[in-house]
Each structure stands twice: as C-alpha cells, then as structure tokens.
Amino acid sequence: MLDIKIFNVDRGFCAAINASDRHTILLDCGYNSQTGFRPAQQIFQQRNRFLDGVILPAYSEEHLAGFPDLLTQCLEHGLPVNSLIANPSVNPTQFPNLAVPNKRLNNVLSLSVSTHPECSKISHSMTVNDINMTFFWNNYPDCQNVHNLSLVTFLSYRDLHVIFPSDLEVEGWLALLQCNDFRARLKKVNTFVAADHGREEGYCPEVFNYCTPEVVIISDRAEQPISPQMIRRYESHIKESRFGISEKPLLTTREDGTISITKYLDAMRRVSTQPKVQHSRSF
C-alpha cells in the first residue's frame, strides 16, 4: 500500500510518502502560514514510531525554513528521524540554510552512489517497503544555481511512477537529460509533479520527448498561481489515461487543496483531492 499526500503550502513544498505499517518519508518541509499547517502535524496524525527519512530536495530559505520546527516537534514527541536525503555535493558553508539538517542528521547520499560514465552523473537508489526511490542531482560547484542543484526524486511502486523534480530549472533539466538512466526513468513516469511550482523557469519541453504523463500535479500558491499559458503547455503533454476515468488530469494545490495519490496492491491507482474538491478521481 502507498499513499502520497501533496499538501497545500505557501512556503516551499511538502509531501508525505506513507507506506504500510506506519512508515513515512517526508519530502520537503514546506508549510502554510495562512492555515497553520506544519508537516509535523501529518507525521503525528499517522502515529508513527519513527520517521523513515526526510528528503530535502531544494536549498533556498523558503524550502528549509520549516526544518528546525520539524526536528523540534519530533524531539518533543520522542519520534526519531532515521535519515536525511539531500544533494551530497551541496556544502553548508556555501548554503548556510543546510547547517541545521547536516548538524543533526547524516546524509545517506554521502555514503553510497552509482556513477554513470557516459555522462558523469551520479544517482542513488533505495527501497522502503517495496517502494523504490531513485535520486539524481547536479554537482556543486560545476552547477552553482541553487535551483539546478535540486534533488530529483523518482518514486515507483508497482505500476505507479512519480517524479518530484523540486525547483529544477531548464539548464538543470538539460544537464540531467544527458544521463541514459535518467531518460529511461522519465519514460516510465505516469504522474508528473511540475518543477518550480509550475513556473516557466522550471518548464523544459525536451523532458516530454521522453515523458508522457497521465496526470500532472502543480504545487502553486495563492499569490503566485500558475499562468493559463503554463497550464496549456503542461496539458499538451498529458496522454489520455488508458482507463479513461480521469476527469481532471491536471491538478493544482491552489485550486484542489491537498492532493493524494494512492495505490493498494493490485488495485487501480487513484487520485483524490481535499478539502476544496470533495470528489475523487481515478486514473
């Protein structure tokens, strides 16, 4: 069983990857200053005995601002955090916002990686409760744009294949597209989370030479909604679901609230939205 919740936040990004037996991995630490939502709320509602890991995919202040609060809440509730997952080439001396995470937790990507000789890229794969996650990144100092240092996460569970590219921009996409393994994983993606909150800077048309998703999800904000032009661009790349059930293949957190992606063993993949939209959609 897999349940991914992409939350409606106005600072950064936040998703909780929940597997059976109360295993949870938190992807980013964004929060909502208007509603008061903090990622620790979701963790404690699940009554986890520990947090399997925290993925920190982006390194600007808005993405890391919620991390100290998360650690404080976990400490107060006696909830251990097993691992940190972040771009291992990013040094806290160049990116001070990483100082707290690196001081508190060991980055597992610093320990074991796979190299790709044809493109000099690096990746790492890990499996938690049959959920496979593979991470790709551009290296600092070869790449110095903080957006293009974003950690890209591919998540696969049975026939569900999701990409979380964080704040990656065009130059970062093009660098990673040089990697054979990166392109091969793109071809499997059926659920695409738009980069950089759906802004034009994160849109790379070359990506869709390899990726034809059935669903596109955009974490945008009330003060910076995705433009109609960008909606049309992403919609042009969506292929019709083979089940023909998806009523709304493009969803945004601003319009749809929290977005859940669920997969129960051999049951159909399912997308549901709350609280702004009360009905569910299947794909």
Side-chain angles (χ1 to χ4, degrees):
M1 170 267 182
L2 172 66
D3 176 56
I4 304 170
K5 294 190 182 301
I6 300 174
F7 299 104
N8 179 26
V9 298
D10 61 4
R11 295 293 303 274
F13 177 88
C14 187
I17 302 166
N18 301 305
S20 56
D21 299 325
R22 297 177 184 171
H23 286 268
T24 297
I25 294 174
L26 191 66
L27 200 160
D28 219 325
C29 299
Y31 59 90
N32 195 312
S33 60
Q34 303 299 314
T35 65
F37 167 83
R38 296 270 176 172
Q41 294 175 1
Q42 171 67 18
I43 303 304
F44 300 133
Q45 285 174 4
Q46 295 293 314
R47 298 183 180 179
N48 295 71
R49 291 169 293 180
F50 53 83
L51 185 58
D52 285 271
V54 177
I55 302 171
L56 294 182
Y59 311 106
S60 60
E61 181 180 356
E62 70 170 13
H63 284 272
L64 296 175
F67 190 78
D69 175 73
L70 173 68
L71 284 185
T72 298
Q73 293 295 322
C74 287
L75 181 63
E76 290 180 357
H77 288 79
L79 185 73
V81 181
N82 284 357
S83 61
L84 171 71
I85 302 166
N87 184 334
S89 74
V90 178
N91 192 314
T93 60
Q94 280 81 29
F95 299 90
N97 292 324
L98 274 174
V100 172
N102 276 271
K103 184 177 180 180
R104 301 283 189 90
L105 299 168
N106 292 321
N107 183 1
V108 298
L109 298 189
S110 299
L111 306 175
S112 175
V113 297
S114 300
T115 58
H116 302 273
E118 86 283 356
C119 60
S120 300
K121 294 301 175 186
I122 301 173
S123 70
H124 176 85
S125 294
M126 60 187 295
T127 301
V128 178
N129 274 30
D130 296 326
I131 299 166
N132 178 264
M133 289 175 289
T134 300
F135 308 97
F136 289 84
W137 60 90
N138 293 306
N139 278 309
Y140 182 89
D142 298 334
C143 173
Q144 300 196 22
N145 179 321
V146 67
H147 291 276
N148 289 327
L149 289 168
S150 294
L151 187 72
V152 178
T153 303
F154 287 94
L155 182 151
S156 295
Y157 178 71
R158 296 181 178 260
D159 64 343
L160 174 63
H161 304 282
V162 189
I163 183 173
F164 298 91
S166 193
D167 279 358
L168 204 64
E169 294 182 349
V170 173
E171 185 180 358
W173 276 116
L174 292 175
L176 291 174
L177 282 172
Q178 298 174 32
C179 179
N180 293 340
D181 190 27
F182 188 85
R183 297 194 303 270
R185 291 179 186 276
L186 267 179
K187 291 177 181 179
K188 295 180 179 180
V189 166
N190 48 37
T191 304
F192 189 95
V193 179
D196 201 19
H197 309 284
R199 292 191 285 255
E200 185 171 4
E201 292 82 356
Y203 172 75
C204 179
E206 288 82 355
V207 168
F208 299 99
N209 292 336
Y210 308 95
C211 180
T212 51
E214 297 173 359
V215 174
V216 170
I217 296 172
I218 301 170
S219 174
D220 59 349
R221 309 165 188 166
E223 71 276 13
Q224 291 182 319
I226 184 173
S227 69
Q229 179 187 26
M230 292 310 302
I231 289 177
R232 289 193 295 270
R233 286 182 179 178
Y234 278 111
E235 285 180 334
S236 71
H237 300 296
I238 299 173
K239 69 177 180 180
E240 184 178 356
S241 168
R242 57 180 172 164
F243 300 107
I245 303 174
S246 179
E247 296 179 11
K248 189 178 179 183
L250 188 147
L251 304 111
T252 74
T253 54
R254 185 178 70 91
E255 292 290 336
D256 300 297
T258 296
I259 300 169
S260 296
I261 307 166
T262 56
K263 171 68 179 177
Y264 293 93
L265 298 177
D266 294 329
M268 188 181 299
R269 294 164 284 162
R270 188 173 182 85
V271 170
S272 60
T273 58
Q274 61 172 345
K276 294 182 179 180
V277 179
Q278 299 298 325
H279 60 279
S280 298
R281 306 182 179 93
S282 300
F283 67 97

